[in-house]
Amino acid sequence: MLRSAPEMPFVCLTDFQAQARERLSKTTWDYIEGGAGEGFTKEDNIAAFKKIRLRPRYLKDVSEVDTRTIIQGEKISAPICISPTGFHCLAWPDGEMSTARAAQAADICYITSTYASCTLEDIVATAPRGLRWFQLYVQRDRQLNKQLIQRVESLGFKALVITVDVPITGNRRHDIRNQVDLKTNLLLKDLRSPKESSGPCLQMSSIDPSNCWDDLSWLQSITQLPIILKGILTKEDAELAVKHNVQGIIVSNHGGRQLDEVLASIDALTEVVAAVKGKIEVYLDGGIRTGNDVLKSLALGAKCVFLGRPILWGLACKGERGVEEVLNILKNEFHTSMTLTGCRSVAEINRDLIQFSRL
């Protein structure tokens, strides 16, 4: 009698990518995976890490290696957290609730998106002990912004992440070809109070393209939460972020989904870190696929990295368990990378561990 072959275990993040592609519809896969324009920056985010080589140090006592760190005063188990991505229900029925539970179990930070497909109340109720930040697309209606910020404060979110690189949506060819119209096809619940059964619903077209540096002071006047700017790529904007008293920057090009042919996130990191002069924390998202990528990011000055698409791959494959596995695989790889380069704590990761390849 023939026995069925055992299911192959997932051993790296790209294993989840391959399986997720098989499980999701073409339209959903294209939405998650697609980049802007020709997709150059999306690919470069990953390729740019391969231009960096490691310089390991040996004969150091690495019998105990500690991956823990602190972001915005909160302890996390490793500098590997979850970026804001929308519409998790496209990947798994429980959507963001599964993601939140996995983040809580892994003891890392989860940035919940304005475009979450579950209510904020449900997300918090399902993972009450989890460290949560909230990502805000600043809306044209100031009262709507104020209500939403007050809501996330009362629900225990610990920081406000303002996405700065979406005055308009990028030219995403796959979505145009597939006629994806998220603002009418999906119910967006984040701007509805729990007592409301319908509208007002958030629409992508309601993002305020006039939002500018001077508007930050208004946001700061209505919240005590730390404000993190997501999407900064240049030293000029990094200096302005410090000048405007924000608490952190996520170096990001939106996963290559906004303006194509900008710098890869890891290539933009160095000038942003240099510009802030240690005054605020700098994080990175975009292209993280291995533990070595995490190590390289920290060596170049990131306090922590954030994962976007790999979280959705894990979710699509196995729901909450898949997200947990993605996080654990990356955490274990990072632990190995630290051990094999002679780093006993994240504080020991520094610029001397890397060099840029001449290739």
Side-chain angles (χ1 to χ4, degrees):
M1 184 173 138
L2 288 172
R3 287 182 298 178
S4 60
E7 186 180 303
M8 292 291 285
F10 293 81
V11 299
C12 60
L13 268 54
T14 51
D15 286 351
F16 285 90
Q17 182 181 23
Q19 187 67 32
R21 183 169 197 164
E22 289 183 21
R23 288 173 175 262
L24 296 171
S25 71
K26 182 183 184 301
T27 301
T28 297
W29 177 254
D30 285 350
Y31 172 70
I32 289 170
E33 282 298 292
E38 296 171 296
F40 175 82
T41 295
K42 180 203 155 199
E43 300 301 325
D44 197 35
N45 271 346
I46 298 166
F49 277 102
K50 304 309 178 195
K51 294 182 287 190
I52 302 171
R53 299 288 177 266
L54 298 173
R55 302 180 66 248
R57 299 296 307 278
Y58 296 121
L59 293 174
K60 295 176 78 172
D61 179 0
V62 285
S63 55
E64 291 186 18
V65 171
D66 186 358
T67 63
R68 292 176 299 175
T69 191
I70 295 172
I71 54 171
Q72 297 298 323
E74 301 279 345
K75 294 176 184 174
I76 51 176
S77 65
I80 300 163
C81 297
I82 300 179
S83 288
T85 53
F87 315 119
H88 288 200
C89 286
L90 288 172
W92 192 261
D94 273 354
E96 288 81 5
M97 291 192 289
S98 292
T99 307
R101 288 192 295 268
Q104 178 178 271
D107 193 20
I108 51 93
C109 178
Y110 164 39
I111 308 178
T112 304
S113 170
T114 293
Y115 295 131
S117 43
C118 301
T119 66
L120 298 177
E121 287 73 17
D122 286 346
I123 292 166
V124 172
T126 200
R129 300 182 315 280
L131 174 59
R132 291 175 301 276
W133 295 356
F134 182 75
Q135 176 270 334
L136 176 69
Y137 284 113
V138 177
Q139 306 293 300
R140 296 173 192 266
D141 182 343
R142 275 202 166 186
Q143 195 56 33
L144 216 51
N145 292 317
K146 189 172 183 180
Q147 287 171 358
L148 187 50
I149 289 168
Q150 288 171 342
R151 219 171 120 203
V152 301
E153 280 186 329
S154 69
L155 286 167
F157 286 79
K158 297 293 187 185
L160 192 62
V161 177
I162 309 293
T163 296
V164 301
D165 58 1
V166 189
I168 60 170
T169 304
N171 178 27
R172 302 175 192 172
R173 296 178 184 178
H174 288 298
D175 293 347
I176 297 166
R177 285 195 188 101
N178 293 330
Q179 297 182 299
V180 170
D181 186 5
L182 292 167
K183 62 179 178 279
T184 57
N185 291 347
L186 284 161
L187 187 62
L188 303 169
K189 300 178 178 178
D190 278 12
L191 288 190
R192 302 188 305 163
S193 77
K195 294 174 185 149
E196 290 177 303
S197 58
S198 62
C201 259
L202 177 62
Q203 293 194 337
M204 290 190 127
S205 57
S206 64
I207 295 174
D208 186 0
S210 73
N211 187 45
C212 62
W213 289 103
D214 290 342
D215 295 311
L216 282 176
S217 59
W218 176 74
L219 288 168
Q220 288 162 331
S221 75
I222 62 169
T223 183
Q224 295 299 306
L225 293 177
I227 290 180
I228 319 289
L229 300 185
K230 178 177 180 286
I232 300 292
L233 289 171
T234 62
K235 65 178 187 294
E236 292 87 353
D237 279 347
E239 287 165 357
L240 282 167
V242 173
K243 182 180 172 185
H244 286 83
N245 299 310
V246 303
Q247 280 70 47
I249 286 171
I250 303 177
V251 173
S252 171
N253 52 40
H254 218 99
R257 294 164 72 81
Q258 276 302 101
L259 179 62
D260 198 20
E261 299 177 48
V262 298
L263 281 176
S265 296
I266 192 67
D267 287 339
L269 178 62
T270 304
E271 72 172 83
V272 172
V273 168
V276 305
K277 298 183 171 72
K279 292 173 185 170
I280 60 176
E281 293 182 357
V282 177
Y283 319 106
L284 175 137
D285 92 348
I288 300 286
R289 299 292 180 268
T290 68
N292 279 349
D293 295 342
V294 181
L295 187 84
K296 290 170 184 179
S297 301
L298 268 61
L300 284 170
K303 183 79 172 166
C304 165
V305 303
F306 289 88
L307 296 178
R309 291 182 182 92
I311 296 299
L312 295 173
W313 302 337
L315 196 62
C317 291
K318 304 183 183 182
E320 176 185 345
R321 190 161 63 91
V323 177
E324 273 195 63
E325 283 187 30
V326 164
L327 292 167
N328 284 331
I329 286 170
L330 199 58
K331 198 184 292 188
N332 289 335
E333 286 184 0
F334 175 58
H335 187 279
T336 299
S337 299
M338 286 181 65
T339 307
L340 291 176
T341 53
C343 299
R344 291 160 293 194
S345 69
V346 293
E348 293 186 5
I349 300 172
N350 61 59
R351 183 66 177 75
D352 292 338
L353 286 175
I354 61 168
Q355 73 178 47
F356 284 87
S357 167
R358 291 184 179 87
L359 294 177

